Amino acid sequence: MTQPPQPPEKPGFGPPPEPEPSRPEQASPPEQPQQTPADPQAPADPQAPADPQAQPGFGPPAGPAQPSAQQPPSAPGGPDLGKAPQPGYGYPQAAQPPQQSPQTAPQSPQTPPTVPVPGGPQPPPGYGYPQQPPAGYGYPGQPQPGQPGAYGQPQQPYGQQPYGQQPYGQQPYGQQPYGQQPYGYPHPTVPMQSQSGAPGQPGGGRKVNASLAIIVAAVVAIALIVGAGVWYSSAGGDEKKNTANSGDSGDTKGGEGGNSGGDTAGGDEKAPADPSSEVLFQVPAPKVPKDASTIVTSGSWTTDKVYAKSGVAEVVGYDAVKGDELWTLDLPGPVCEASDHATEDGRTAVIYKPAMPTKTKPQSCTQVAAFDLATGEKLWSETAKSGTQEISFNNVTISGNTVAAASTSGGAAWDITSGKALWAPKTSDACYDSGYGGGPKLVAVRKCGPYDQRQLHIQTIDPKDGKVLSEYKMSEGIEYAAVVSTDPLVVAADVGDSAGDGSGISDFFSIDNKSGALRTRISAPGEEFAARCDGITKIEHCSGLAVGKDRLYIATEEHESSGEGYSRTNEVVAFDLATGKQTGQRADAGDGYTIVPLRMDGDNVIAYKRPPYDKGGQIVSIDGGSFKETKLMENPAEKSVRDVEARMLPQHAEILYSQGRLYMSDVYASTLSSGDKEYLAIAFGTG
């Protein structure tokens, strides 16, 4: 998964890192993946999560990683696909190729040239470039002359081997990159030729004369064309039947759904006649008080009429199209955290500090307030106590009409209309609720036991009274977990600190809400997938994935594209949450683009495509059945617009798309400046 970014070229670019407790997966990973995984039962960090908002002086974020000129990139199209996968948790059995083919792997160039930017200095590579291109599994190879392409190679979906059949952690992640077949390629009707000299051995095979190779390649190519046509015909089905809405009502930040109807089956977002967008408005970056270097501006929401965004000690509602200020909710201190959800009638909640922080008094995040997105009216503001001390909250969410907030020192729940206290989690020396995931259901991540015997309880609870409806107990030694989705229930965790890239994810757990039973466990090695979750304090803040239609949609890591030059690309693939297997579906970002799932739209996936340096970003809808991409928006390619969009990194920024409008905003304001005019938010819209 995407490595934490390195310091930017310009000061003030992007959000600063949040101070977090010492944790192995937050450290910068080595250039090469670890060969031996951490023991899943190893003791976790004994330090409890500190309040990230109560510590002054944390600085600007790290920026894009720079590729090393001393490390040659892998061959175009990804790593060597001839390597056989090794057994281990979640790894499928290696398919045995029936025949051999000549070795035609291209030679990798030693150093990629820098692409010049017209009228300016040469830019660094895009965000997330690894130091060494990862040998992640399934990256498509580049077809060679006289050899059929990678499409249609025998597919054994990742994770097909049931959990428990092979002892977890027996084979280290990354020891043998799983790259024998590309992500999501369908089963062929005729097996492809092996690229290795002998089954299970990369390279070194005997030579085959050119005439024979051409004949074999032609026969296989014809068979693959027929097989691919049959597969797509059966996989697509009747698109109009996929009309059920997913459990999530829409935008990840509490926005309403899109317009009804449209060109994307199963979703509400309508593809415009012309997807070219224009800038609707921009919100200038706010001034930061002299006593603080950075201020949190977390929180953004959209309705059919309002775009609301947190500023410095305020939340402002803007006209969703024109950008005119409609209302301002003044707060005595800055916002600490904001709910990712809103009620059906447009009410949401934030955590904020009771006063502006200073060097001597950083303040704590003790205040919880609910407000109306249509008018900006504050409905109520409350605090809660643990003993005699006010609780400093780390996270807040909404489910039904309940606002729930939690931290290491306690939690509380209120009615969103009246502010009446509904319930508080039972606390003891042994257990506490570290956070909640909201939306269709309310899910608690409850920590029990001492740090060296920590056990997480994933509880589905009744939002009205806090009663536990079901519970799944994770294995001891897992210190942190994030709630990816509450219905269907999906939790992400870094088991045994094995991700090694700061993403917080090594595995996903699909859990039955009613019984609390584990449905399946999906291994997601960090070098192969680009999703990220906080899991320490924010609990339900994840990026690079979406859940719906009983599927997990996740972005792969970047790799070299098969096009000209040295551009990068990636894909979105799908896992079945009932079986843990890949569905065989794959959506390609395209040469020079990287794709990031944002949310569900009915059965479809709304995704953002981060563009090459000379183009604007795109919003696409991925059909949940056929995986066909429909372009909903393409942003202007003018440099002044690109510069603003490029600062809104999907891993950190808040990105909302609804009803033909795209909103991108920063989650921090800083005193540091690049010299250029900086913006808190930018909005795009189609005609």
Side-chain angles (χ1 to χ4, degrees), residues 118 341 417 441 453 494:
H341 307 281
T417 302
K441 296 184 183 297
Q453 291 181 312
D494 188 359

Side-chain angles (χ1 to χ4, degrees), residues 164-535:
Q165 183 170 331
Q166 187 73 264
Y168 179 76
Q170 181 171 325
Q171 182 69 26
Y173 288 143
Q175 184 165 333
Q176 279 283 13
Y178 182 73
Q180 191 153 335
Q181 50 268 21
Y183 285 104
Y185 277 4
H187 294 275
T189 54
V190 177
M192 287 288 289
Q193 304 300 313
S194 169
Q195 291 184 349
S196 61
Q201 295 180 1
R206 66 183 181 184
K207 295 184 179 180
V208 181
N209 71 61
S211 299
L212 178 59
I214 293 172
I215 293 171
V216 172
V219 172
V220 174
I222 293 171
L224 286 176
I225 292 172
V226 175
V230 172
W231 185 85
Y232 275 111
S233 176
S234 61
D238 185 357
E239 295 182 350
K240 298 300 180 182
K241 292 182 181 178
N242 295 327
T243 57
N245 289 326
S246 65
D248 196 338
S249 61
D251 294 313
T252 57
K253 288 289 178 180
E256 301 290 336
N259 297 323
S260 60
D263 298 332
T264 52
D268 293 328
E269 297 293 351
K270 183 178 180 181
D274 182 4
S276 299
S277 71
E278 62 180 4
V279 177
L280 298 179
F281 60 89
Q282 298 176 93
V283 179
K287 293 183 179 180
V288 176
K290 62 180 181 179
D291 290 335
S293 59
T294 56
I295 291 290
V296 175
T297 57
S298 177
S300 59
W301 308 263
T302 180
T303 70
D304 57 345
K305 296 180 180 179
V306 176
Y307 169 68
K309 174 62 187 172
S310 296
V312 174
E314 64 180 8
V315 180
V316 181
Y318 303 91
D319 183 282
V321 178
K322 299 178 181 179
D324 299 333
E325 291 190 17
L326 302 178
W327 51 260
T328 299
L329 171 61
D330 291 317
L331 299 170
V335 171
C336 302
E337 276 300 325
S339 171
D340 284 351
H341 307 281
T343 62
E344 292 183 358
D345 55 357
R347 292 173 293 178
T348 192
V350 294
I351 302 170
Y352 65 95
K353 296 184 177 183
M356 292 303 295
T358 64
K359 293 180 179 179
T360 56
K361 294 183 178 181
Q363 301 295 331
S364 296
C365 302
T366 57
Q367 314 294 307
V368 179
F371 63 96
D372 191 308
L373 287 170
T375 64
E377 176 189 2
K378 182 193 289 185
L379 304 176
W380 50 264
S381 180
E382 295 291 343
T383 61
K385 290 185 177 181
S386 177
T388 59
Q389 297 293 320
E390 287 189 339
I391 298 172
S392 180
F393 295 105
N394 292 329
N395 54 77
V396 63
T397 195
I398 292 173
S399 182
N401 287 316
T402 297
V403 177
S407 73
T408 58
S409 56
W414 301 268
D415 180 85
I416 196 168
T417 302
S418 64
K420 176 184 176 181
L422 298 178
W423 49 268
K426 295 180 180 180
T427 57
S428 65
D429 293 338
C431 297
Y432 66 91
D433 287 6
S434 63
Y436 301 103
K441 296 184 183 297
L442 187 61
V443 173
V445 177
R446 188 167 179 81
K447 289 191 174 186
C448 294
Y451 76 89
D452 56 345
Q453 291 181 312
R454 183 79 73 196
Q455 186 174 46
L456 301 183
H457 298 200
I458 308 302
Q459 300 175 333
T460 299
I461 59 180
D462 188 327
K464 296 180 181 179
D465 56 17
K467 179 181 178 181
V468 177
L469 303 177
S470 67
E471 181 178 72
Y472 170 70
K473 296 181 180 180
M474 305 186 77
S475 300
E476 287 188 6
I478 302 175
E479 182 70 16
Y480 304 104
V483 178
V484 177
S485 168
T486 61
D487 188 20
L489 178 54
V490 180
V491 172
D494 188 359
V495 179
D497 301 325
S498 58
D501 62 349
S503 64
I505 305 172
S506 68
D507 296 82
F508 292 95
F509 297 78
S510 175
I511 303 168
D512 186 279
N513 277 107
K514 295 181 180 180
S515 66
L518 179 67
R519 299 175 67 196
T520 189
R521 178 173 172 174
I522 301 170
S523 178
E527 68 271 17
E528 297 171 14
F529 298 99
R532 299 177 64 88
C533 287
D534 185 310

